[in-house]
Amino acid sequence: MPMILLFSLMDVPCLNAAPKIPKPWDNGQLKISQDGRFMQFANGKPFFWLSDTGWLLPERLQRDEAAYYLRRCGEAGYNVVQVQVVNGVPAYNAYGKLSMPKGFDFSTIDTEEGYGYWQHMDYIIDMAAANGIYVGMVCIWGGLVKAGLMNEAQAKEYGTFLANRYKNRPNIIWIMGGDIQGNIRTEVWDALARTIKAIDKKHLMTFHPRGRTTSARWFNNREWLDFNMFQSGHRRYGQRMGNKEYPIPDNTEENNWMYVDSAWSYKPIKPVIDGEPSYEDIPQGLHDADEPRWNDRDVRRYAYWSVFAGACGHTYGHNAIMQFVRPGLSGAYFADGMKKAWYQALDDPGYQQMKYLKRLMLAMPYFERRPDQSIIMDNGEKYERLIATKGNDYLMVYNHTGREMRIRLDAISGKRKSVWWMDAATGTIRQIGTYNSKTLTYNPASDQGSANDGVLIAMDEKCNYLDALAPEKRESDVDREE
């Protein structure tokens, strides 16, 4: 702990000073768009969910560390952080304070001496607000409910306490569940959700399910569920690992886009997000240290695949950050705090690259966007699969391997199309040319000099959506048909 304190005091000046930045909720409350596919603010502006996974933030970090972490999240473009409010009954925080010193009786929780568990939670929420960040409140981890550590009556007591304490905070999003199937102790989740919603009518709510499942399967018709969340999980293709009950076909473990597709089959339509894809720097399959680790290119693929399939945002995760390991404190899934501490992982490439996706999506006309695989003329499988999304006068295709692709430019309006390429690793956008053809054959690996993953962007020549993002725009005399 002394090492962490030294790091905090020397390297992070003025941690408690709130940055003077516009806050998202200045645009009003978060709500669901009229078509049921997106999130927006009350004033009509779009909200693109970009979350970091900070599961053990309330339990592992002290005040200065939490402030530093949340500032870095804001600087990296994240506008949500998903946390476990309690990961035990009771839970202990970094100060050794109990979340539930009298069980589910919270009547005297603020009369205890000193800086308590919930005062620390208050501080975290306030520091998140200072950095323009919503806190995705996973009220209690699913395994605790499965073990019988909170029953239906206790869920009502706990929900009443949480809702009354945080209903007036502007930056709350409620998350039921926590890595659990919705058919396990369903009555407890319904009691908790309905209790909170009866008191707090301002904030959105979802359910975080077990890997390779989606909340829509159990709760899509619930009045308390505002948007769906799925967990695509951490396994690679073919890594089924003996479980015969997963509701997915063999060898589709990495296809997180298919969960977005499946969400639209439930009615009413609700927004959907991958709330837990593969984490950066975690072993593939989780349970074998000798397996390869997911890297930045993998986490980019999960992000673009789900969003281009129609998700209204994405959640990133890192093995070291989600459990806040550091020297002297290692974690699950072979996270070694001596090799990489959570504060070092904040500089890992995948963590820093998610903002390019958010920037791109918000640059385009937002609410008209839909997935459209008919744009792609020669699609592949697994890593070779291209995925497309479009609006009325623009289209985008994510290409994970940099392979040659054939695209239908006539899928959008405009006689002439301006075509661009965005490198997903750097966010660099450059113009390829202007075309009047119905189709386009393009080889990113040949043209860009590498096989990096990226996004082909085409738009009506009259549009200027990328002007503010693309300093490498060039004049082109390309004007051809294929």
Side-chain angles (χ1 to χ4, degrees):
M1 184 59 67
M3 179 181 294
I4 299 302
L5 186 59
L6 181 65
F7 151 78
S8 301
L9 294 178
M10 292 183 65
D11 295 346
V12 192
C14 302
L15 287 176
N16 293 319
K20 296 184 181 301
I21 59 174
K23 305 303 190 293
W25 41 89
D26 293 343
N27 296 297
Q29 289 178 209
L30 279 182
K31 56 185 294 188
I32 305 304
S33 63
Q34 188 172 3
D35 65 3
R37 294 175 180 267
F38 301 101
M39 295 181 188
Q40 65 176 67
F41 296 102
N43 67 0
K45 290 186 177 181
F47 175 74
F48 182 85
W49 170 297
L50 186 63
S51 179
D52 186 27
T53 306
W55 290 139
L56 295 184
L57 167 60
E59 292 86 4
R60 290 278 173 88
L61 298 192
Q62 296 185 11
R63 287 170 63 96
D64 57 345
E65 297 165 334
Y68 175 73
Y69 165 68
L70 291 164
R71 177 169 67 80
R72 289 292 303 273
C73 285
E75 291 171 350
Y78 295 98
N79 51 23
V80 182
V81 171
Q82 295 171 201
V83 305
Q84 292 183 31
V85 177
V86 296
N87 73 330
V89 180
Y92 289 83
N93 68 13
Y95 297 99
K97 298 295 185 178
L98 286 170
S99 60
M100 301 164 180
K102 295 183 179 180
F104 287 90
D105 177 4
F106 296 96
S107 60
T108 61
I109 198 71
D110 287 323
T111 63
E112 308 290 332
E113 292 186 6
Y115 181 67
Y117 189 97
W118 296 101
Q119 285 88 354
H120 190 49
M121 190 73 230
D122 299 343
Y123 174 81
I124 288 169
I125 293 170
D126 290 342
M127 287 307 302
N131 288 279
I133 294 171
Y134 289 87
V135 179
M137 304 271 280
V138 181
C139 303
I140 182 170
W141 202 241
L144 303 174
V145 174
K146 182 178 181 179
L149 298 179
M150 186 176 77
N151 60 33
E152 190 173 350
Q154 292 166 334
K156 293 177 181 178
E157 294 182 70
Y158 184 42
T160 298
F161 165 71
L162 288 176
N164 281 323
R165 192 175 191 94
Y166 298 119
K167 64 183 179 182
N168 292 322
R169 292 296 208 286
N171 60 322
I172 299 295
I173 297 170
W174 298 108
I175 303 178
M176 301 297 104
D179 199 30
I180 190 171
Q181 294 178 187
N183 59 349
I184 298 174
R185 306 298 300 274
T186 307
E187 74 284 356
V188 175
W189 300 118
D190 277 331
L192 180 61
R194 286 171 175 150
T195 299
I196 291 174
K197 276 286 192 175
I199 298 168
D200 178 9
K201 303 183 186 303
K202 298 179 181 179
H203 298 119
L204 299 181
M205 182 178 287
T206 190
F207 182 95
H208 176 276
R210 186 169 173 78
R212 295 155 296 281
T213 65
T214 169
S215 61
R217 181 180 175 188
W218 303 287
F219 299 115
N220 192 73
N221 63 353
R222 292 297 202 275
E223 76 287 352
W224 53 260
L225 189 100
D226 297 300
F227 63 99
N228 279 304
M229 182 175 282
F230 63 92
Q231 179 187 163
S232 56
H234 309 274
R235 296 184 183 178
R236 67 170 179 267
Y237 290 123
Q239 218 174 25
R240 198 172 183 89
M241 304 179 75
N243 191 316
K244 298 179 180 179
E245 298 180 358
Y246 291 141
I248 60 173
D250 288 335
N251 296 313
T252 64
E253 287 80 1
E254 298 182 52
N255 290 347
N256 70 338
W257 49 266
M258 75 183 196
Y259 296 97
V260 184
D261 286 353
S262 71
W264 306 137
S265 67
Y266 293 89
K267 300 296 183 289
I269 289 176
K270 294 184 177 182
V272 61
I273 288 170
D274 190 347
E276 188 175 336
S278 292
Y279 294 153
E280 190 168 11
D281 199 30
I282 203 168
Q284 296 176 10
L286 298 180
H287 304 298
D288 185 347
D290 294 328
E291 291 284 1
R293 297 201 174 206
W294 298 110
N295 59 33
D296 58 304
R297 187 164 179 164
D298 297 310
V299 299
R300 293 196 302 269
R301 173 170 53 85
Y302 275 86
Y304 285 88
W305 270 3
S306 64
V307 170
F308 279 29
C312 66
H314 189 69
T315 296
Y316 163 89
H318 192 292
N319 195 23
I321 298 171
M322 64 98 172
Q323 49 192 328
F324 296 97
V325 299
R326 56 179 179 252
L329 179 61
S330 292
Y333 313 119
F334 313 101
D336 188 339
M338 293 298 294
K339 292 182 178 179
K340 180 175 291 184
W342 66 266
Y343 45 83
Q344 296 169 316
L346 297 173
D347 294 317
D348 274 8
Y351 182 88
Q352 293 294 331
Q353 292 161 353
M354 294 296 107
K355 59 180 174 283
Y356 304 136
L357 171 61
K358 185 178 85 168
R359 182 185 70 173
L360 178 62
M361 303 317 291
L362 291 174
M364 301 296 182
Y366 194 78
F367 296 108
E368 67 188 49
R369 181 175 66 86
R370 295 289 186 273
D372 187 351
Q373 290 300 93
S374 71
I375 291 169
I376 301 160
M377 300 178 67
D378 57 349
N379 217 336
E381 297 181 351
K382 296 184 178 179
Y383 300 139
E384 297 291 342
R385 186 180 195 271
L386 308 175
I387 191 162
T389 187
K390 74 180 183 90
N392 297 327
D393 51 18
Y394 70 92
L395 65 83
M396 297 184 286
V397 180
Y398 174 72
N399 185 330
H400 178 63
T401 63
R403 70 175 179 88
E404 183 176 275
M405 51 185 172
R406 294 182 65 218
I407 303 300
R408 285 185 50 235
L409 294 180
D410 61 355
I412 58 174
S413 66
K415 181 178 179 181
R416 290 165 54 91
K417 311 300 193 307
S418 177
V419 181
W420 308 69
W421 177 260
M422 188 186 90
D423 187 310
T426 66
T428 302
I429 301 175
R430 62 182 289 268
Q431 190 175 19
I432 298 167
T434 304
Y435 298 80
N436 70 347
S437 55
K438 292 182 179 181
T439 64
L440 170 67
T441 299
Y442 181 64
N443 190 328
S446 174
D447 185 60
Q448 305 295 326
S450 69
N452 287 344
D453 60 317
V455 181
L456 181 90
I457 307 160
M459 68 186 76
D460 188 323
E461 184 188 37
K462 299 175 184 177
C463 301
N464 59 355
Y465 303 135
L466 296 180
D467 282 2
L469 307 182
E472 295 186 39
K473 181 177 179 180
R474 71 177 190 227
E475 295 298 326
S476 173
D477 59 1
V478 177
D479 187 4
R480 64 186 177 87
E481 296 184 3
E482 293 194 350

